[in-house]
């Protein structure tokens, strides 16, 4: 049983918001390394990603959730369920909005979800580096009319503006508690998950149109080279939904797939601290986002949430 330490603060913090407001950028900024993938494509995050920040007097466990949106397939249903379920199990909720975007239907939907919730909710206005300071007051007033927030804190997750202030304020809302994770642990996800996400991120960066939402990455094998113990072999399959998408991901003479591998290998080597031989395959699994068996096979499991 974990022991609560007198004066030691610990707790769970959910980061929610519309797609592409900067939740993953914020999480990586706080943790100090990449554990959540980033892309300018909406709905990049599909599973909840936990990041752990440990200091001498506190431990904050951040949960980065999928961007909340109206589902269009079973994968979308899964992502919305993940985001909603985290609201019941945390000590503080960070509702993150993009300072560049007007309050829209997606924000209204989230505010309706939060109605009647007894958990403290912070309004975190991200990307303040992208607007004129005079615009900020109007944004704050607009949201204050719709919800009674415990705190309202403007930040720039990309540049780090005001992030430390947000962390200081957060610690005041956390209960006395135990240290849930070892001090050097930064995420609860296994290496396989992070490696698959790093590969998926590179496909998101290098493709357009329908491809980003139609892919999943499955890690087939991770093993250390028996002859060269410093080298790790990683084999992964990129799943797509149509033959035409397979051709796009592979690219002319395999050029795009090769570039995905080159970029992903660098991040995986940083994660594992070893040289990596990365082998990538592309496979068609028709309409996998609407098939429960494929969703489970690819790591989207309802029973974990």
């Amino acid at each position: 049983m974990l022991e609560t330490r007198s004066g030691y603060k610990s707790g769970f913090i959910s980061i929610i918001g519309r797609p592409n407001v900067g939740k993953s950028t914020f999480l990586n900024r706080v943790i100090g390394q990449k554990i959540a993938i980033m892309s300018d494509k909406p709905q990049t995050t599909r599973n909840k990603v936990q990041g752990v920040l440990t200091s001498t007097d506190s431990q904050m466990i951040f949960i980065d959730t999928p961007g909340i949106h109206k589902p269009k397939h079973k994968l979308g249903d899964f992502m919305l369920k993940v985001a909603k379920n985290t609201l019941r199990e945390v000590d503080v909720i960070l509702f993150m909005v993009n300072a560049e975007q007007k309050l829209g239907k997606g924000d209204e939907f989230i505010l309706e979800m939060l109605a009647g919730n007894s958990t403290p909710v912070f309004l975190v206005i991200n990307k303040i580096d992208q607007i004129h300071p005079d615009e900020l007051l109007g944004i704050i007033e607009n949201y204050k009319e719709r919800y009674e927030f415990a705190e309202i804190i403007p930040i720039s997750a990309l540049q780090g503006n005001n992030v430390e202030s947000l962390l200081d304020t957060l610690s005041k809302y956390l209960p006395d508690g135990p240290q849930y994770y070892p001090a050097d642990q930064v995420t609860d996800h296994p290496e396989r998950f992070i490696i698959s996400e790093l590969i998926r991120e590179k496909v998101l960066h290098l493709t357009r149109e329908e491809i980003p939402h139609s892919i999943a990455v499955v890690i087939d094998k991770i093993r250390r080279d028996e002859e060269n113990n410093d080298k790790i072999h990683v084999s992964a399959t990129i799943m797509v939904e149509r033959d035409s998408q397979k051709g796009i991901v592979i690219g002319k003479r395999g050029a795009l797939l090769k570039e995905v591998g080159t970029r992903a290998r660098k991040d995986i080597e940083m994660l594992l601290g070893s040289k990596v031989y990365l082998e990538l395959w592309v496979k068609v699994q028709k309409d996998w986002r609407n098939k429960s068996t494929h969703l489970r096979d690819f790591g989207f499991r309802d029973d974990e949430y």
Side-chain angles (χ1 to χ4, degrees):
M1 185 175 178
L2 294 169
E3 182 181 351
T4 298
R5 293 159 55 179
S6 178
Y8 191 85
K9 301 285 187 178
S10 64
F12 294 80
I13 301 137
S14 179
I15 314 166
I16 66 169
R18 286 161 61 184
N20 214 24
V21 295
K23 299 184 295 294
S24 297
T25 304
F26 170 75
L27 183 62
N28 291 334
R29 163 70 64 176
V30 167
I31 302 307
Q33 68 184 76
K34 182 185 285 188
I35 62 168
I37 71 170
M38 298 181 293
S39 166
D40 59 0
K41 314 290 193 302
Q43 303 163 34
T44 298
T45 301
R46 290 173 173 172
N47 297 73
K48 65 177 183 179
V49 179
Q50 288 193 180
V52 184
L53 178 65
T54 305
S55 65
T56 55
D57 55 6
S58 70
Q59 186 170 80
M60 301 180 187
I61 300 99
F62 291 90
I63 304 171
D64 178 21
T65 62
I68 295 175
H69 62 287
K70 187 175 182 179
K72 295 180 180 177
H73 38 62
K74 285 189 177 180
L75 175 60
D77 291 334
F78 168 87
M79 291 161 65
L80 181 60
K81 183 177 179 181
V82 170
K84 280 185 172 180
N85 284 356
T86 62
L87 303 182
R88 300 198 298 264
E89 57 191 38
V90 296
D91 300 289
V92 180
I93 297 167
L94 302 183
F95 173 31
M96 186 171 289
V97 300
N98 182 348
E100 295 181 286
Q101 296 174 343
K102 291 184 177 180
L103 193 153
K105 290 183 179 179
D107 299 304
E108 297 280 11
F109 178 63
I110 294 170
L111 290 170
E112 288 173 14
M113 279 174 50
L114 294 172
N117 197 319
S118 59
T119 305
V121 179
F122 287 22
L123 176 66
V124 179
I125 304 171
N126 190 24
K127 306 190 182 183
I128 58 169
D129 54 305
Q130 300 297 313
I131 64 167
H132 193 281
D134 292 346
E135 298 177 59
L136 193 55
L137 186 58
I139 297 170
I140 292 172
E141 290 301 323
N142 203 6
Y143 278 93
K144 280 177 70 174
E145 291 174 2
R146 287 165 168 80
Y147 195 88
E148 191 172 337
F149 296 99
E151 301 283 348
I152 298 177
I153 303 178
I155 69 164
S156 167
L158 187 63
Q159 296 189 353
N161 302 354
N162 227 23
V163 171
E164 284 300 324
S165 176
L166 171 56
L167 295 177
D168 290 341
T169 306
L170 263 178
S171 67
K172 298 171 185 175
Y173 283 79
L174 297 181
D176 288 348
Q179 183 176 310
Y180 292 98
Y181 296 96
D184 60 350
Q185 185 170 340
V186 296
T187 182
D188 68 334
H189 274 294
E191 289 174 343
R192 277 177 173 264
F193 173 82
I194 300 176
I195 291 170
S196 70
E197 287 287 88
L198 291 174
I199 296 168
R200 186 166 70 91
E201 177 186 54
K202 304 308 178 265
V203 181
L204 294 180
H205 286 173
L206 292 167
T207 57
R208 292 289 181 268
E209 298 170 358
E210 83 279 10
I211 297 294
H213 307 306
S214 302
I215 66 161
V217 177
V218 178
I219 303 301
D220 303 309
K221 182 171 58 181
I222 300 176
R223 65 175 177 83
R224 193 168 289 277
D225 193 319
E226 294 178 1
E227 295 181 3
N228 182 359
N229 202 40
D230 292 334
K231 197 165 195 175
I232 295 173
H233 285 240
V234 177
S235 178
T237 301
I238 299 169
M239 300 290 184
V240 296
E241 291 186 312
R242 294 196 292 276
D243 291 326
S244 60
Q245 294 169 346
K246 180 177 179 179
I248 292 170
V249 172
I250 292 173
K252 190 175 181 180
R253 297 179 181 173
L256 193 139
L257 187 62
K258 183 179 179 181
E259 183 64 17
V260 168
T262 299
R263 295 188 186 189
R265 179 178 52 78
K266 292 177 182 177
D267 278 356
I268 297 168
E269 286 179 340
M270 288 183 63
L271 174 72
L272 301 180
S274 297
K275 289 287 184 183
V276 168
Y277 172 74
L278 177 60
E279 191 175 24
L280 295 178
W281 307 89
V282 184
K283 181 179 178 181
V284 177
Q285 195 67 262
K286 295 188 185 300
D287 200 28
W288 68 263
R289 287 180 294 173
N290 272 316
K291 295 178 180 176
S292 299
T293 52
H294 292 326
L295 289 174
R296 286 195 296 271
D297 289 345
F298 299 164
F300 306 107
R301 301 182 62 87
D302 281 355
D303 54 5
E304 293 180 3
Y305 303 98

